[in-house]
Amino acid sequence: MARIPDPNYDRDINRLVDAYKRGILAIATELSRLDVSDISRAHAKAALAEIAAILRDINAESAAWVAEYVPKAATDGVARAIVGLGVANTLAEAEKIVKFNRINREMVASAIADTQADLLAVTQNIDRRVRQAVRQATAESFRANMASGINGRRTINADTLAGIRKTLGQATDTGIIDAAGRRWKPEVYVDTVTRTKLNSAHRDATINEAIGRETYYAQISSHGARDACRNWEGRIVKLVPDAPGDYPYVGDLPRREIFHPRCRHVLSPVRSPENIRGGI
Ligand SMILES: [Zn+2]
């Protein structure tokens, strides 16, 4: 069997992460242009409109990226299965004959929707924080101006201005909180979400293709992992719970140990697990 290189989406993911970084920087720049000594409602509104346009661009780029790369990862997963099962000799040859079966079509559609929703939450979060910060900064600036009038001083003190700038500055740096309550920088979150989703689309596509070809076992890839995954490298798993033999079912594997977020391990289908070293 041809040695199949593990998929690597680093460059594609970096391109998407860069789009978020650029967008966040553009938003921070937009906020820093506000004259904190006198933020008018009109200025605040204009800045928010610019920011909304930046977020729309990020969303459009991100949705298109997901619609391209989730199917690509699934295609790679199917191609790996086809080569692993000897239906094609090389990945290039396999890629030409890849066709999603029904389960894979559904899997890809739902993986696209899930990933887009996760990424949309990032920009929605930024949008909410920025609006809140601008509202707060506008109110603080207004109050400071009132107070300076009352005091007979014409300028707002430096600490107050620094405080308003800080309010605006924090809007883009606080990040997103996930379901488990962990706080992420937006770009790190985007990187983790996309890496995790592409790899799971790849594995699911391999599994679905293998089952479609009446193959019910697979071997976990090896790349010399140092985390808990290392204990699983080269191991044989069942792709359906009822397949005969004393192998763990892929759906029951402990997620803390293997196929965790950012996990790069993939599967190669195996027709007869007893012929493979690495089985239990
Ligand atoms: Zn892993």
Side-chain angles (χ1 to χ4, degrees), residues 227 229 258-260 263-265:
D227 59 7
C229 287
I258 180 78
F259 303 148
H260 51 78
C263 179
R264 289 196 290 127
H265 286 97

Side-chain angles (χ1 to χ4, degrees), residues 203-223:
R203 288 193 303 268
D204 288 345
T206 302
I207 293 171
N208 295 337
E209 180 69 18
I211 293 172
R213 292 177 181 275
E214 292 167 7
T215 299
Y216 304 113
Y217 305 90
Q219 185 173 30
I220 296 174
S221 62
S222 303
H223 55 252

Side-chain angles (χ1 to χ4, degrees), residues 259-276:
F259 303 148
H260 51 78
R262 304 180 71 88
C263 179
R264 289 196 290 127
H265 286 97
V266 291
L267 295 164
S268 291
V270 172
R271 278 198 211 282
S272 313
E274 57 278 9
N275 298 334
I276 301 275

